[in-house]
Amino acid sequence: SARMAAKIARRPRLQPAVLLLSLLVPCTALRGAAARSGGAVACIDSAVQHRVPRWRDALPRGDELDDRILSVALPSIANLAVIPLVGAVDTFWIGRMGDALALAGQGAANQVFFSTYFLIAFIPTITAPLVAKAAGGGDIDGAARRVCEALFLANVLGALGTALLVLFPAAPLS
């Protein structure tokens, strides 16, 4: 801790504008600007110098990795966008009927559907990384077990929900 305190004490004090600029621009560019202007610029730390290029490297470039990420992200986005679209289409067509009571019933049914969907939507979110970890490790049987567990859980929850709706149809709407 004494070595760390001495190291911190040796660091030059930077003005807030220089500190912000050093976070955004690599130190080599700052030193060049200081040399041209006759001033002195101190860099914060080598960790900060390396953080800037990493941040810039994280931006999309249109390479193969970006294509792979996009190929996974687009179906997920579409999957999440379908649920509100279904509710909007249902509301649109029920609203065209001109019956306020039917539209109110559709709104209540949408709330029940959305709540149920988002309570059950955790299954693929948890299953996908477990399957990927097993498959990536070469354990194909483990990946198959994880998929079977997820399907079993989804079927049990679906059967339970169906039984509750058949036995108590008015309960979700009250």
Side-chain angles (χ1 to χ4, degrees), residues 21-119:
L21 189 59
S22 67
L23 289 173
L24 299 175
V25 180
C27 286
T28 54
L30 287 176
R31 286 191 189 114
R36 285 190 297 276
S37 65
V41 174
C43 290
I44 298 171
D45 196 349
S46 63
V48 174
Q49 292 177 25
H50 296 298
R51 198 176 339 166
V52 175
R54 285 188 198 157
W55 176 78
R56 288 186 181 152
D57 287 343
L59 295 175
R61 290 192 206 125
D63 58 356
E64 181 184 347
L65 180 61
D66 290 338
D67 292 341
R68 289 181 62 197
I69 291 172
L70 199 58
S71 70
V72 171
L74 286 178
S76 297
I77 292 169
N79 182 35
L80 291 174
V82 164
I83 300 304
L85 287 175
V86 167
V89 168
D90 288 346
T91 302
F92 172 77
W93 287 109
I94 298 295
R96 289 187 53 103
M97 289 174 40
D99 186 9
L101 190 58
L103 190 57
Q106 176 62 33
N110 273 343
Q111 287 298 324
V112 172
F113 178 73
F114 286 152
S115 299
T116 305
Y117 173 79
F118 287 114
L119 286 174

